[in-house]
Amino acid sequence: MSAPSPLAPPPGSPVPEAPSRPVPSPSGRSLRLALCLAPLLLAGCWAVADRPVLYEGARRLVAADPRWLLAGFGCTCLTWVAASCVRQGALPDRLPAGLLLASQVAAGAANHALPGGLGAHAVTVRFLRARGVPLDRATASIGLYSLVKAAAKTLVLLVLLTVSPAWRRLGGLLPDGTELVPAAAVAGGLVTGVGVLLTAVRPLRRPVTALVRTALADARVVHALPCRALALWGGAVAMPLVQAGSLGCVGAALGLELPWPEVALAFLAAGTAMGGAPVPGGIAVDAALVWTLVAFGAEPAPATATVIGYRVVTDWLPLLPGALVLSALIRAKVL
């Protein structure tokens, strides 16, 4: 008969219970539920307050020209191609084109859950890690993607401001100087706080410094390769143009009666002003876009219908195929 193990409890002693997982407090669950429902509550309040405009917009969307709506969906599909080009251009490693395009289709579905493109970035990082790209270089490519995308969007906006006379109407949409002071103070405080943290906390400074060093090294490599630089900047410039093209097609289907340059300018101006709002689904951008289209001379009903149709064509119609592609990539262990 073998001797009992010295690590075993004595015979007859109570068996210790396994540590249980901490149960979230009711207040914590309530807070998370409130944060998840806040965008829906805001959208519901807006719909209740503007019932006549919303009803007229939905009625116009049902009677819209399906050919223009199909063209708008085609522009939405082109955004996946443009995003794939920018993702490939931001990384020196060659990625499989088909799987990269599929990952961007799936990333569009993931963007419904998280604001600011975080869902798409998370899917892309998992895709790059599965392709053998180290985590620091995958994260650095996300930073380069975001930086180039913002720079290209600003460049396109400046060009449209130069060629379109409608830029004068944007002056009435800008807040007064007194309203900009608190926003500037908050932004300055955030930048100062981040700088102090990076300077004082060494365990935080080291990984951030290494990430910046990796990003700069990869940026030099991709800009030394003409094909990568063309994919990076060409895709970044094409992305806002095809997005604005989708909005213009939906507007043409609904009788918006605004020239395409003004529609594109309204789209870029609203996205630049409200794109950083931490709200999933682009609710803040949609409200700003309706406001900007009306300021450019559109009637409220067709402007609202155009924005609703744009959201249907660019978000809700691609949601089902995007979710199916995301599930297929997970089952195939591509993500």
Side-chain angles (χ1 to χ4, degrees):
M1 186 174 180
S2 60
S5 171
L7 299 178
S13 62
V15 179
E17 297 182 357
S20 59
R21 288 186 174 182
V23 180
S25 63
S27 61
R29 289 196 299 266
S30 301
L31 178 60
R32 286 195 294 271
L33 181 61
L35 291 176
C36 293
L37 295 180
L40 298 178
L41 181 61
L42 291 174
C45 293
W46 176 81
V48 170
D50 297 293
R51 288 191 305 272
V53 175
L54 187 63
Y55 172 78
E56 180 66 18
R59 188 187 66 80
R60 287 174 176 264
L61 184 60
V62 171
D65 188 346
R67 294 170 296 179
W68 278 112
L69 293 179
L70 184 61
F73 183 72
C75 291
T76 299
C77 296
L78 290 178
T79 61
W80 298 333
V81 179
S84 301
C85 291
V86 185
R87 299 287 188 189
Q88 176 62 89
L91 197 69
D93 309 71
R94 185 173 181 81
L95 301 172
L99 290 179
L100 178 59
L101 179 60
S103 71
Q104 296 312 295
V105 177
N111 252 358
H112 281 266
L114 296 173
L118 295 179
H121 293 333
V123 170
T124 302
V125 168
R126 287 184 63 88
F127 171 74
L128 295 179
R129 295 288 292 128
R131 304 274 70 77
V133 179
L135 180 59
D136 57 343
R137 298 186 59 236
T139 309
S141 73
I142 297 297
L144 182 59
Y145 169 91
S146 302
L147 180 62
V148 171
K149 183 180 173 183
K153 186 176 181 180
T154 303
L155 178 63
V156 174
L157 177 59
L158 292 176
V159 171
L160 288 176
L161 286 173
T162 303
V163 301
S164 176
W167 65 269
R168 299 181 181 88
R169 301 178 185 176
L170 292 175
L173 302 176
L174 297 176
D176 297 333
T178 56
E179 299 178 3
L180 293 176
V181 173
V186 171
L190 289 176
V191 172
T192 304
V194 171
V196 170
L197 284 176
L198 294 179
T199 303
V201 183
R202 180 173 295 180
L204 182 62
R205 183 172 69 249
R206 287 180 176 176
V208 171
T209 303
L211 180 62
V212 171
R213 190 179 298 114
T214 302
L216 292 177
D218 282 358
R220 286 194 296 268
V221 172
V222 298
H223 283 91
L225 301 173
C227 58
R228 292 289 190 275
L230 179 61
L232 179 65
W233 288 98
V237 170
M239 190 176 299
L241 293 177
V242 294
Q243 289 173 334
S246 180
L247 180 65
C249 290
V250 174
L254 295 166
L256 186 63
E257 297 182 355
L258 279 182
W260 186 88
E262 294 188 9
V263 173
L265 181 58
F267 171 79
L268 292 173
T272 302
M274 303 301 296
V279 178
I283 296 175
V285 177
D286 292 347
L289 184 53
V290 173
W291 190 24
T292 308
L293 290 174
V294 172
F296 280 179
E299 295 295 327
T304 304
T306 298
V307 174
I308 294 175
Y310 171 77
R311 191 56 64 187
V312 169
V313 167
T314 59
D315 280 358
W316 297 108
L317 285 183
L319 181 59
L320 179 58
L324 294 176
V325 171
L326 179 62
S327 177
L329 293 180
I330 293 175
R331 287 199 306 269
K333 298 182 179 180
V334 176
L335 297 179

